[in-house]
Amino acid sequence: MNIHPIHTKADYRAALQRIDAIWDAKPKSPEADELEVLSLLVEEYEKKHITVPEVDPVSLLLHVMEARQLSRKDLEPYIGSRARVAEVLNRVRPLSLEMIRRLSAGLELPADLLIAGYELREVA
């Protein structure tokens, strides 16, 4: 096991490749120990060097709909009527706490991503 701190992108890529190679290591094996240590090092590097852009809840829902091939009708059990779904996706109406709860449970989405604030459009 040749583990050292991750200082560069090359170190980071090498650590990720090694993690991928030993991902299925048997518990309590030297490779499992190496995997645990490398994972911690990668996590620290990512905290310091990689920023994840914040995604507003509507953009998240649109992405999930596209990725899972869902229609607006598929969101009705979580958001409400067809009109209500349109209002939310068009950023006219904010998600309510109850909508967030239903979306989180029904679509298995992290609630903390759904509660973020976002700008609404003004209706003329």
Side-chain angles (χ1 to χ4, degrees), residues 54-57 113-119:
E54 289 189 30
V55 176
D56 71 77
L113 296 179
L114 295 170
I115 62 171
Y118 58 96
E119 198 168 314

Side-chain angles (χ1 to χ4, degrees), residues 20-57:
D20 190 46
I22 60 175
W23 186 254
D24 293 321
K26 292 183 180 179
K28 299 184 180 180
S29 67
E31 289 82 13
D33 291 342
E34 181 181 5
L35 177 61
E36 184 176 349
V37 172
L38 280 174
S39 297
L40 292 171
L41 290 171
V42 164
E43 182 180 7
E44 270 310 301
Y45 180 85
E46 289 175 345
K47 281 181 189 175
K48 292 178 183 175
H49 296 86
I50 298 176
T51 57
V52 178
E54 289 189 30
V55 176
D56 71 77

Side-chain angles (χ1 to χ4, degrees), residues 4-19 38-39 41-47 49-50:
H4 60 282
I6 299 173
H7 295 294
T8 65
K9 285 183 183 180
D11 291 341
Y12 175 69
R13 283 191 297 272
L16 290 177
Q17 286 176 343
R18 181 63 182 152
I19 286 172
L38 280 174
S39 297
L41 290 171
V42 164
E43 182 180 7
E44 270 310 301
Y45 180 85
E46 289 175 345
K47 281 181 189 175
H49 296 86
I50 298 176

